[in-house]
Amino acid sequence: MNDANLLRMADQIADFYTPYTEAEAIEGVAVHLRKFWDPSMRDRLITLSKAPDAGLRPIIAAAITRLIALP
């Protein structure tokens, strides 16, 4: 899967959580990524998020930080 598709999919997940509070959205996106994304997809998204020009929405960036902290 290419990087553009990963970012698009992450955006779609974040869109789903738009009506939720920020904290609920961050947790929801992080949990979704942990439960339903293949580890290689998660790892690539984490790598992409470290680039200074990643252009991630704040909710996705926060969810990635939360994802890294999940057990």
Side-chain angles (χ1 to χ4, degrees), residues 29-61:
V29 172
V31 169
H32 181 94
L33 294 174
R34 171 70 71 197
K35 284 185 173 181
F36 301 111
W37 279 34
D38 183 83
S40 64
M41 294 167 63
R42 289 193 306 262
D43 291 345
R44 184 63 189 150
L45 185 62
I46 290 167
T47 299
L48 290 172
S49 74
K50 294 176 183 177
D53 62 344
L56 296 177
R57 292 166 46 182
I59 197 76
I60 297 170

Side-chain angles (χ1 to χ4, degrees), residues 3-22 25-26 29-30 33 37 45 48-66:
D3 295 347
N5 281 341
L6 284 177
L7 296 172
R8 180 184 53 78
M9 289 170 52
D11 276 337
Q12 289 173 331
I13 296 164
D15 286 344
F16 173 82
Y17 286 98
T18 300
Y20 292 77
T21 66
E22 183 176 350
I26 291 167
V29 172
L33 294 174
W37 279 34
L45 185 62
L48 290 172
S49 74
K50 294 176 183 177
D53 62 344
L56 296 177
R57 292 166 46 182
I59 197 76
I60 297 170
I64 291 170
T65 300
R66 175 71 181 116

